[in-house]
């Protein structure tokens, strides 16, 4: 992403002051890189961690939202008379109530909706909200509200929304004005080049729901003019900004706290309507309010990864040199998002060396819940098309899929202006070393089983557009007189171990044992500004700032010791709990004996995130290998094992890194095999998979136990001062196509639609049997 | 459904309940629903929690007595209240999480008479007279219980929200099957969704917890 154009922050990113020093990369590390148990493991397994939905305040009310039950409707009348008289009910908000006329869903043409907009454009649009003494009473009251709707014609698919008689979902029309096509080289001419082999496939990807285990919501409390919100969020500063703007309040009077949160995956990068509703209800009732959505409402309203149709055409020479890619992507971000196709074509443009590329995108409004950024927006969809295509091309030219990919590695960013080189790319190593560790050649050559169970292996590569991190970030480290330390940063720990590796960096620089470091984070009242944790950028954004803050403490300490020892500061270094002369180790002073430090009792260091290098591109890469079994009688696909080789730069904590890689694989298996938002297209336009039974996320039986994580560290000395790149998103990008390619290896079925459900597999097997041999797809 | 054991003395060491209700813990727990080895000790007589008891006194409320983590609570509940609601919102035991409220995710898993159950699908009145163990009840004072310790050491979670439920499902599994195989672990944990996808580490944690428990820890 360009620094000022991000999906995770509304408006231009604030700047960060330039750091005073740019330390050299670590050579040998003692604490960084160790597989330490998380410093908050105790809290999370004991039940003592207080998640936002656990917050209990004296006199707190509980709120529930009334959602529109229709795919498309106009609210004519909302009668809350009965509900208001019900026991325990203290406040009800609906359209027309003073203070609720708040614009919502910003886009190119301004706001397209408001907090309670009578024009409900999808099943789940908010109509009213109730606060009551108990959550049971709140839902009783919601059910007692009488709403008159004008039910309108709906369109929940791209095809339906583009029909000439489609209902007008938005005044601007259902087709969103497309961005200019991406273009390099001459695609048309390239496809006509003599001797090239062209392959075209149409791919479909499922609409995926984030469904974090903790539903979206918050607790809101007023103290006079000041509002405190405990929100399940990836970014407390985004919540602060969003709520302050909606309520026209000073930023300083909105305090957002998000110490723990139960999963986000991009769906909790910012506030929601619920944040503002909770604040308004708390104001109206004069009592704190807890408002968490139901699981059904999360499925309807709290974001999704849009389904995409991707027509991809590729050309290759017989020797395996890629010649051209041409993609046409359509998709819908629902009724409000102007995206629907964002990020899909990035891997097509960027991952493999290819001189001629053209990409077109068409977004469409539909009567469906709005998309939200979802773990590597667009990338799993793009990789699904690109990596299955790469497999098909390899088959057509009779080349090993790993060899074919290795032949087309790029060391420069082809789609960025000026084709800047990557600071590092471990992609070739991910493929080559991954193949070796996986036993690729042997597995590929294994004789087929004489059974209806077919076994196969597949590979896919991937990269993530983000993952570089960058300013802004500020971190504060406090070293106390007793040698213990506190790290203070604004970033959320969404489950990726932020607090733990942050403490490891402080320990590395200051020699303070991790057990003597505490972390204060994710609170706009007490911690410095941070962008939301997302985009695989928390490590590369925050870690250099943390390191700089610890070094700032160290420099102050050395200056104090230098004065006391009467030695030049440059002559001294910190070793454990002592400041020692580099040339004469006999000259030293223990931390506790540094008089200036003792008098002050505290050293406060501040660290800033420096800019990324000019003229360079920074991206994480990865390759994944899958082994599957396909039951050709039932169509079931069983994933037997996975190996993931990832270049995410330096690994700060291999334990949490590996866990995150495995988590990405698990989510990718969901994308490839089980997850699918289904809408009732024919009858009412409602969401049919609004629960965790019908919306199938991988369980312990779907994720293979046999997973291997191979770390490829290219020793990047340019990307930033910790040599790190992100991993959260890269880990889920290549997974599904690796499975699809393994299914092809097992069965000869070239499946292009995800999820590869048993029904689809059985249908494809039936078609395969009847197709003439010459027409089988490559 | 069988309710004939309603009158049994809650202070006696409980037998294996036949009260199935609809709250079986997914296919996973059903796969290991053999005779449970009950670790619950006889609860001490503790006065009912004043903060928890008798908040609403309407005619429609029922009196129940539940033993939560060895502490006896006598309280008035609405017949529709779930055990999950009572634990979280009446007793403020927020270690037990809420994820779907319809028995699909397992975040609310607790032990009822030593067996893993979804608290969201267990009515409070159905828990009358039962021994309930929540994640807080696995603690050994300030120290983590064996299963919790194994989850911590194996990094068997990411965001940690499903973790109390995972820990309780693992505890229930190991109590009924002290030496589960990998397949039995996967089956036994299949009623608990982890969206972060920490399953591989969860499997090693459960195996480790079982090992440690067999060693008497």
């Amino acid at each position: 992403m360009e620094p000022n154009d991000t999906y995770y922050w509304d408006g231009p990113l604030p700047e960060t002051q330039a750091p005073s020093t740019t330390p050299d990369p670590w050579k040998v590390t003692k604490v960084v890189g160790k597989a330490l148990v998380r410093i908050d493991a105790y809290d999370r397994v004991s039940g003592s961690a207080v998640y936002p939905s656990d917050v209990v305040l004296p006199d707190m009310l509980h709120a529930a939202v009334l959602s529109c039950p229709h795919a498309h409707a106009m609210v004519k009348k909302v009668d809350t008379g009965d509900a208001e008289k019900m026991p325990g009910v203290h406040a009800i908000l609906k359209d027309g109530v003073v203070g609720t006329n708040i614009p919502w869903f910003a886009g190119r043409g301004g706001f397209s909706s408001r907090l309670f907009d009578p024009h409900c454009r999808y099943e789940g649009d908010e109509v009213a909200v109730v606060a009551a003494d108990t959550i049971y009473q709140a839902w009783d009251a919601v059910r007692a509200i009488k709403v008159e709707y004008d039910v309108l014609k709906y369109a929940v698919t791209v095809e339906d929304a583009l029909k000439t008689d489609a209902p007008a979902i938005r005044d601007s029309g259902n087709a969103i004005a497309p961005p200019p096509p991406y273009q390099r080289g001459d695609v048309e001419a390239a496809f006509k080049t003599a001797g090239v082999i062209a392959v075209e496939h149409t791919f479909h990807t499922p609409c995926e729901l984030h469904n974090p285990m903790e539903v979206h919501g918050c607790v809101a409390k007023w103290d006079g003019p000041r509002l405190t919100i405990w929100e399940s969020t990836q970014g407390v500063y985004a919540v602060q900004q969003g709520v302050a703007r909606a309520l026209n309040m000073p930023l300083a009077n909105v305090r957002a706290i998000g110490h723990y949160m139960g999963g986000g995956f991009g769906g909790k990068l910012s506030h929601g309507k619920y944040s503002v509703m909770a604040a308004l209800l708390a104001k109206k009732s004069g009592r704190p309010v807890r408002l968490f959505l139901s699981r059904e409402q999360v499925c309807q309203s709290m974001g999704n990864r849009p389904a995409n149709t991707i027509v991809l055409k590729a050309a290759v020479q017989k020797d395996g040199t890629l010649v051209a890619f041409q993609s046409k992507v359509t998709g819908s971000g629902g009724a409000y998002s102007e995206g629907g196709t964002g990020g899909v074509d990035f891997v097509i443009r960027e991952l493999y060396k290819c001189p001629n590329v053209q990409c077109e995108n068409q977004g469409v409004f539909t009567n469906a819940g709005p998309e939200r950024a979802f773990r590597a927006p667009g990338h799993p969809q793009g990789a699904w098309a690109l990596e299955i295509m790469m497999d098909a091309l390899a088959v057509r030219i009779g080349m090993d899929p790993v060899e074919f990919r290795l032949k087309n590695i790029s060391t420069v960013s082809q789609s960025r202006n000026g084709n800047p080189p990557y600071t590092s790319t471990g992609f070739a190593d991910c493929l080559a070393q991954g193949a070796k560790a996986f036993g690729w050649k042997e597995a590929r050559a294994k004789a087929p089983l004489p059974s209806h169970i077919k076994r196969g292996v597949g590979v896919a590569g991937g990269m993530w557009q983000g993952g570089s991190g960058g300013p802004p970030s500020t971190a504060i480290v406090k070293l106390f007189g007793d040698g213990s330390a506190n790290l203070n940063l604004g970033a959320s720990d969404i489950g990726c171990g932020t607090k733990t590796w942050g403490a490891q960096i402080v320990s590395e620089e200051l020699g303070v044992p991790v057990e003597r470091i505490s972390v204060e984070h994710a609170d706009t009242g007490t911690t410095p500004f941070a962008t939301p944790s997302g985009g695989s950028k928390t490590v590369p954004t925050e870690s250099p700032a943390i390191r700089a803050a610890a070094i700032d403490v160290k420099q102050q300490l050395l200056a104090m010791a230098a004065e006391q020892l009467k030695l030049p500061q440059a002559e001294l270094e910190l070793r454990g709990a002592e400041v020692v002369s580099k040339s004469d180790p006999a000259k030293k002073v223990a931390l506790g004996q540094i008089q200036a430090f003792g008098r002050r009792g505290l050293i406060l260091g501040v660290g800033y995130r420096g800019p990324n290098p000019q003229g360079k591109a920074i991206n994480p890469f990865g390759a994944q290998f899958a082994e599957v079994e396909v039951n050709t009688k039932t169509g079931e696909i069983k994933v037997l094992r996975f190996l993931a080789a990832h270049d995410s730069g330096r690994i700060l904590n291999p334990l949490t890194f590996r866990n995150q890689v495995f988590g990405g694989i698990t989510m990718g298996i969901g994308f490839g095999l089980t997850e699918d938002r289904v809408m009732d297209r024919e009858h009412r336009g409602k969401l049919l998979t609004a629960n965790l039974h019908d919306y199938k996320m991988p369980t312990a039986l779907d994720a293979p136990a046999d997973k291997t994580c191979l770390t490829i560290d290219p020793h990047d000395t340019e990307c930033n001062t910790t040599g790190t790149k992100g991993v959260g998103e890269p880990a889920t990008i290549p997974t599904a196509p690796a499975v699809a390619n393994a299914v092809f290896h097992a069965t000869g079925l070239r499946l292009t639609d995800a999820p590869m459900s048993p029904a689809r597999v059985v249908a494809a097997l039936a078609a395969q049997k009847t197709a003439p041999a010459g027409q089988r797809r490559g | 459904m069988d309710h004939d054991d309603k009158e049994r003395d809650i202070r006696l060491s409980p037998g294996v309940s036949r009260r199935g209700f609809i709250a079986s813990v997914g296919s996973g727990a059903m796969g290991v629903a053999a005779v449970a080895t009950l670790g619950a000790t006889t609860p001490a007589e503790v006065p009912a929690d004043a903060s928890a008891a008798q908040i609403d006194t309407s005619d429609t409320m029922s009196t129940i007595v539940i033993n939560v983590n060895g502490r006896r609570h006598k309280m008035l509940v609405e017949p529709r209240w779930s055990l999950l609601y009572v634990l979280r919102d009446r007793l403020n035991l927020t270690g037990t999480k809420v994820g779907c409220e319809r028995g699909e995710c397992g975040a609310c898993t607790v032990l009822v008479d030593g067996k893993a159950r979804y608290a969201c699908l267990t009515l409070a009145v159905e828990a009358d007279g039962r021994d309930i163990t929540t994640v807080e009840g696995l603690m050994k004072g300030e120290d983590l219980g064996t299963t919790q310790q194994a989850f911590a050491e194996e990094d068997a979670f990411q965001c940690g929200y499903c973790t109390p439920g995972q820990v309780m499902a693992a505890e229930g599994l190991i109590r009924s099957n002290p030496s589960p195989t990998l397949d039995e672990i996967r089956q036994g944990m299949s009623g608990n969704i982890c969206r972060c996808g920490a399953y591989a580490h969860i499997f090693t944690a459960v195996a480790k917890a079982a090992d440690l428990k067999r060693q008497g820890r």
Side-chain angles (χ1 to χ4, degrees):
Chain A
M1 308 294 289
E2 298 302 319
N4 282 321
D5 175 26
T6 72
Y7 63 84
Y8 51 79
W9 186 253
D10 184 11
L13 281 175
E15 289 183 4
T16 293
Q17 186 173 330
S20 50
T21 56
T22 307
D24 290 335
W26 289 301
K27 290 189 179 74
V28 182
T29 57
K30 290 179 187 155
V31 190
V32 163
K34 276 180 78 175
L36 298 188
V37 168
R38 290 171 204 244
I39 61 169
D40 59 359
Y42 178 99
D43 319 30
R44 296 194 198 245
V45 302
S46 67
S48 69
V50 178
Y51 289 74
S53 54
D54 299 333
V55 169
V56 177
L57 298 175
D59 221 18
M60 183 174 76
L61 300 179
H62 300 262
V65 176
L66 171 61
S67 304
C68 174
H70 305 291
H72 197 191
M74 195 65 76
V75 173
K76 305 302 288 179
K77 193 180 168 195
V78 182
D79 178 359
T80 56
D82 289 349
E84 279 161 23
K85 290 179 210 129
M86 292 177 74
V89 173
H90 292 270
I92 299 181
L93 302 175
K94 59 176 180 172
D95 193 36
V97 172
V98 176
T100 62
N101 188 11
I102 296 169
W104 213 268
F105 293 122
R108 273 171 280 181
F111 290 95
S112 56
S113 185
R114 58 178 198 256
L115 194 62
F116 300 105
D117 195 321
H119 188 174
C120 296
R121 296 176 175 91
Y122 71 96
E123 183 206 8
D125 238 337
E126 294 79 356
V127 177
V129 64
V130 179
D133 283 328
T134 73
I135 190 65
Y136 283 96
Q137 290 171 329
W139 280 111
D140 285 344
V142 162
R143 281 186 285 267
I145 296 173
K146 296 187 197 78
V147 187
E148 279 175 37
Y149 296 98
D150 256 358
V151 179
L152 306 174
K153 199 177 161 192
Y154 64 85
V156 295
T157 64
V158 167
E159 297 73 34
D160 289 350
L162 291 178
K163 283 179 183 162
T164 48
D165 62 342
I169 298 162
R170 296 275 294 270
D171 297 341
S172 54
N174 294 347
I176 301 164
Y182 171 80
Q183 194 126 12
R184 71 167 178 260
D186 185 340
V187 169
E188 298 302 332
F191 279 112
K192 289 177 191 147
T193 312
V196 302
I197 295 157
V199 176
E200 180 178 328
H201 281 306
T202 299
F203 301 87
H204 293 101
T205 62
C207 177
E208 219 184 348
L209 303 176
H210 304 66
N211 268 324
M213 295 318 296
E214 182 179 37
V215 292
H216 294 61
C218 67
V219 173
K221 176 180 186 286
W222 290 88
D223 296 283
R226 288 183 299 280
L227 171 67
T228 305
I229 290 192
W230 289 261
E231 174 146 335
S232 184
T233 181
Q234 296 170 242
V236 288
Y237 275 90
V239 172
Q240 180 202 41
Q241 175 177 281
V243 171
R245 282 183 183 168
L247 299 178
N248 196 21
M249 287 175 65
L251 286 169
N253 280 359
V254 179
R255 181 179 179 188
I257 302 173
H259 291 157
Y260 292 93
M261 59 89 67
F265 314 107
K268 293 178 184 168
L269 287 171
S270 189
H271 66 308
K273 282 188 179 178
Y274 52 81
S275 323
V276 174
M277 289 176 188
L280 290 172
L281 287 168
K283 190 86 180 168
K284 196 173 179 191
S285 63
R287 290 168 66 173
V289 168
R290 181 202 275 178
L291 170 50
F292 280 81
L293 301 180
S294 69
R295 177 59 62 185
E296 186 177 18
Q297 289 169 330
V298 170
C299 289
Q300 290 166 342
S301 307
M302 284 300 112
N304 57 71
R305 180 192 300 287
N308 288 115
T309 298
I310 306 165
V311 181
L312 180 62
K313 193 175 167 188
V316 64
Q317 287 173 1
K318 277 206 161 67
D319 69 349
T321 307
L322 280 169
V323 177
F325 283 122
Q326 187 176 34
S327 70
K328 285 180 185 165
V329 180
T330 53
S332 173
Y336 297 105
S337 164
E338 292 170 6
T341 61
V344 175
D345 60 22
F346 184 79
V347 287
I348 297 167
R349 291 188 266 140
E350 182 79 1
L351 185 56
Y352 296 106
K353 196 155 59 178
C354 185
N356 306 293
V357 180
Q358 188 190 59
C359 303
E360 292 174 45
N361 298 288
Q362 177 66 61
V364 179
F365 292 120
T366 54
N367 291 116
E371 70 171 318
R372 285 187 168 202
F374 191 164
R375 201 172 192 168
H379 287 50
Q381 300 100 297
W384 173 258
L386 174 68
E387 291 300 312
I388 293 175
M389 176 58 78
M390 290 297 284
D391 202 64
L393 293 173
V395 169
R396 284 291 297 273
I397 59 173
M399 197 179 239
D400 177 87
V402 173
E403 292 304 316
F404 175 47
R405 286 173 172 81
L406 283 169
K407 195 175 165 64
N408 291 286
I409 299 286
S410 180
T411 56
V412 302
S413 175
Q414 301 167 90
S415 64
R416 290 183 175 95
N417 286 339
N419 294 352
Y422 299 118
T423 54
S424 62
T425 168
F427 188 36
D429 286 339
C430 290
L431 285 161
Q433 293 184 35
K436 199 173 166 199
F438 184 76
W440 170 255
K441 288 216 166 101
E442 300 77 9
R444 217 43 200 179
K446 223 166 162 181
L449 302 170
S451 147
H452 65 283
I453 308 281
K454 306 291 181 195
R455 188 208 53 86
V457 292
V459 63
M463 71 182 299
W464 161 233
Q465 186 169 9
S468 65
S473 172
T474 303
I476 297 168
V477 171
K478 289 184 258 183
L479 181 68
F480 296 102
D482 66 352
S484 64
N486 172 274
L487 167 63
N488 184 309
L489 78 163
S492 301
D493 187 339
I494 62 174
C496 311
T498 307
K499 283 184 268 180
T500 305
W501 54 253
Q504 286 178 261
I505 291 170
V506 174
S507 177
E508 184 71 44
E509 291 296 340
L510 295 178
V512 178
V514 165
E515 307 77 55
R516 289 171 69 82
I517 299 170
S518 70
V519 180
E520 173 73 18
H521 80 308
D523 179 342
T524 63
T526 60
T527 64
F529 178 87
T531 50
S533 290
S536 303
K537 64 162 182 51
T538 310
V539 162
T541 292
E542 310 297 340
S543 66
I546 296 168
R547 188 175 179 215
I551 289 173
D552 187 22
V553 169
K554 185 156 65 179
Q555 293 305 325
Q556 294 179 53
L557 202 56
L558 294 180
M560 291 172 182
E563 197 182 323
Q564 189 167 328
L565 292 170
K566 302 196 181 355
L567 290 169
Q569 186 179 331
E571 168 67 13
L572 299 176
E573 67 181 5
L574 184 64
R575 285 187 203 163
E578 290 177 331
V579 175
V580 184
S581 161
K582 288 178 198 167
S583 58
D584 181 1
K587 291 178 181 168
K588 60 183 179 181
V589 58
L591 292 195
Q593 302 303 315
I594 300 174
Q595 289 153 8
F597 181 33
R599 287 195 301 274
R600 214 184 279 178
L602 176 80
I603 297 177
L604 191 143
V606 183
Y608 302 104
R609 173 61 156 91
N612 289 332
Q614 291 285 319
K616 293 286 174 77
I618 304 167
N619 291 97
F621 296 87
Q624 296 184 357
F625 299 78
E627 180 161 5
V628 305
E629 273 179 4
V630 183
N631 184 326
T632 55
K633 285 184 177 167
T634 64
E636 285 166 293
I637 296 167
K638 189 173 172 188
V639 181
L640 300 177
R641 67 182 174 119
F642 243 94
L643 181 135
H646 282 274
D647 158 23
S648 292
R650 179 192 294 276
I651 307 308
L652 300 175
N653 183 326
L655 183 63
T656 55
F657 179 82
R658 184 178 69 199
N659 199 350
Q660 209 175 156
V661 168
F662 292 170
I665 291 170
T666 305
M667 196 171 261
I669 286 172
F671 179 86
L673 294 180
T674 61
E675 294 183 38
D676 198 1
R677 183 190 76 176
V678 181
M679 310 285 288
D680 178 15
R681 179 186 183 183
E682 288 177 21
H683 300 101
R684 295 190 63 197
K686 288 166 76 78
L687 173 61
L688 297 176
T689 51
N691 57 66
L692 302 183
H693 176 83
D694 295 318
Y695 186 80
K696 297 190 183 304
M697 307 197 288
T699 71
L701 292 172
D702 302 304
D706 186 354
K707 294 198 199 90
T708 308
C709 173
L710 190 66
T711 53
I712 305 292
D713 183 356
H715 303 291
D716 194 325
T717 56
E718 289 183 275
C719 58
N720 57 56
T721 61
T722 57
T724 52
K725 302 189 277 187
V727 73
E729 350 260 311
T732 204
I733 294 168
T735 306
V739 175
N741 293 338
V743 170
F744 177 83
H745 183 229
T747 63
L749 289 180
R750 181 58 74 197
L751 300 175
T752 51
D753 292 357
M756 298 177 286
S757 61
R760 279 188 171 140
V761 174
V762 165
L765 283 163
Q768 185 188 38
K769 272 183 196 160
T770 54
Q775 285 179 19
R776 290 194 188 157
R777 302 166 91 185
Chain B
M1 218 170 296
D2 195 333
H3 289 261
D4 63 356
D5 53 354
K6 193 168 183 175
E7 300 303 319
R8 76 198 164 79
D9 188 337
I10 52 160
R11 283 162 298 183
L12 295 177
S13 183
V16 178
S17 168
R18 285 183 288 137
R19 184 175 290 190
F21 193 44
I22 43 176
S24 60
V25 183
S27 58
M30 274 153 57
V32 292
V35 176
T37 308
L38 294 167
T41 51
T42 305
E45 279 286 351
V46 181
D49 187 345
S51 70
Q54 299 177 19
I55 292 164
D56 294 318
T57 52
S58 77
D59 295 342
T60 59
M61 297 186 98
S62 309
T63 302
I64 64 165
V65 179
I66 53 175
N67 292 281
V68 182
N69 302 329
R71 185 171 179 180
R72 184 172 178 269
H73 298 271
K74 184 176 181 182
M75 57 199 301
L76 285 170
V77 299
E78 285 186 36
R80 62 175 174 171
W81 285 359
S82 69
L83 176 61
L84 173 63
Y85 172 75
V86 166
L87 291 172
R88 282 176 59 84
D89 283 62
R90 296 284 146 178
L91 302 180
N92 287 346
L93 288 167
T94 55
T96 304
K97 301 305 182 199
V98 49
C100 67
E101 295 184 275
R102 44 183 286 158
E104 291 163 350
C105 77
C108 65
T109 305
V110 298
L111 300 186
V112 178
D113 289 346
K115 289 166 80 174
R117 287 291 180 95
Y118 290 159
C120 73
L121 285 192
T122 306
L123 290 172
V125 289
E126 202 212 359
D128 186 17
R130 305 291 173 177
D131 290 318
I132 314 296
T133 308
T134 69
V135 72
E136 292 94 341
L138 296 187
M139 296 293 286
K140 300 167 180 169
E142 284 288 294
D143 295 332
L144 296 176
T146 307
T147 306
Q148 292 165 312
Q149 185 68 33
F151 268 68
E153 287 172 4
E154 294 298 315
D155 203 44
F157 55 89
Q158 286 175 41
C159 78
Y161 194 80
C162 73
T163 308
Q166 302 277 359
V167 166
M168 297 315 292
E171 183 76 21
L173 168 65
I174 297 167
R175 287 189 191 186
S176 68
N177 177 2
S179 304
T181 63
L182 175 60
D183 278 347
E184 287 168 341
I185 290 171
R186 293 181 68 184
Q187 192 73 35
M189 300 304 292
S190 66
N192 292 70
I193 296 173
C194 171
R195 186 50 158 167
C196 300
Y199 296 120
H201 285 194
I202 289 172
F203 302 155
T204 53
V206 177
K208 183 177 199 166
D211 272 352
L212 291 172
K213 281 180 178 256
R214 284 197 304 274
Q215 294 162 28
R217 287 162 67 190

